[in-house]
Amino acid sequence: MEWGRIGGMEIDWAALRAAAIEAMRHAYAPYSDFPVGVAGLVDDGRVVVGCNVENASYGVGLCAECGLVSSLAATGGGRLVAVSCVDANGNPLMPCGRCRQLLWEHGGADCLVEAVPRPLTMAELLPHAFGPEDLDKVNGPASGPEVPAALAKWRGRGTVFVHPDLSGGATVWTGYWERSGGSPQESDVAKGVLEEGPNFPTAAEAVAWGQVRTPRIVVVAADGGLTWAGEGEPPEGIPDRWQQD
Ligand code: THU
């Protein structure tokens, strides 16, 4: 079985657990003698891992999940789809309260956590959770009017492709925000769609949707021709600027 995407392929729980067990073997837990390993499947197919790392100053020890979310961010971000956390026997271990909050931030309500007899959703593990949306309710979105909180870290990165589509026989304009293309340093970041845009009556509105997200905007005309609606000089291969009708 292959690693899955959310809403797509199956989640290979056995492989995810194996990755957690391998990480557990690297735990540094001389004080509790309770090694923990965790593995998370990311929505782009990556698997990130973590292990607990304790300290002579007991209270500052790091849970395995802390390492997991750090590794998630350090290797390109994305959303956690499924998580397996294991104890020294390789059996599923329930994340502690603080770590449920960490997983909530990066996986949200639908992220699955391995448990017996069945995986549990984060909504089950952390009911009535506090999350980024609660900040937005009071302060407004921290990262612009239309970018979902979960995608805030991608703002300014990636590329938006704007293109026409058919909706009920009429031509509408829409777009999608793609991970790749942000900068040369990001060339090794996995490709994948971050967000699908809504339908707009005009290309200009779809371009405006893109401008909230990234300075890199490519308009794909009905005939497949590409024009640049982004900031700065057009990249190689897209010499012409998009002209508003
Ligand atoms: N631990 C984790 O790594 N994750 C959890 O969710 C539960 C607890 C670690 C912390 C500490 O190093 C050891 O397990 C014993 O509490």
Side-chain angles (χ1 to χ4, degrees), residues 78-79 105-107 132-133 136 143 147-154 177 194:
R79 297 291 283 172
E105 182 85 12
H106 299 281
E133 293 78 8
D136 295 350
S143 54
V147 181
L151 294 174
K153 61 157 286 198
W154 286 95
W177 189 11
L194 291 165

Side-chain angles (χ1 to χ4, degrees), residues 63-174:
C63 282
E65 294 87 339
C66 298
L68 177 93
V69 297
S70 180
S71 173
L72 172 72
T75 61
R79 297 291 283 172
L80 293 170
V81 173
V83 171
S84 172
C85 183
V86 298
D87 63 20
N89 297 321
N91 292 324
L93 184 73
M94 285 292 99
C96 79
R98 180 178 184 274
C99 292
R100 292 179 196 203
Q101 188 71 31
L102 295 182
L103 297 177
W104 183 272
E105 182 85 12
H106 299 281
D110 298 330
C111 176
L112 293 169
V113 177
E114 189 175 31
V116 179
R118 62 166 178 90
L120 297 169
T121 64
M122 280 306 302
E124 289 173 293
L125 287 184
L126 198 60
H128 309 287
F130 169 82
E133 293 78 8
D134 294 293
L135 299 180
D136 295 350
K137 277 183 214 152
V138 175
N139 294 342
S143 54
E146 293 166 67
V147 181
L151 294 174
K153 61 157 286 198
W154 286 95
R155 203 153 176 255
R157 301 162 63 190
T159 309
V160 163
F161 291 88
V162 165
H163 62 90
D165 208 350
L166 280 177
S167 172
T171 299
V172 293
W173 286 85
T174 185

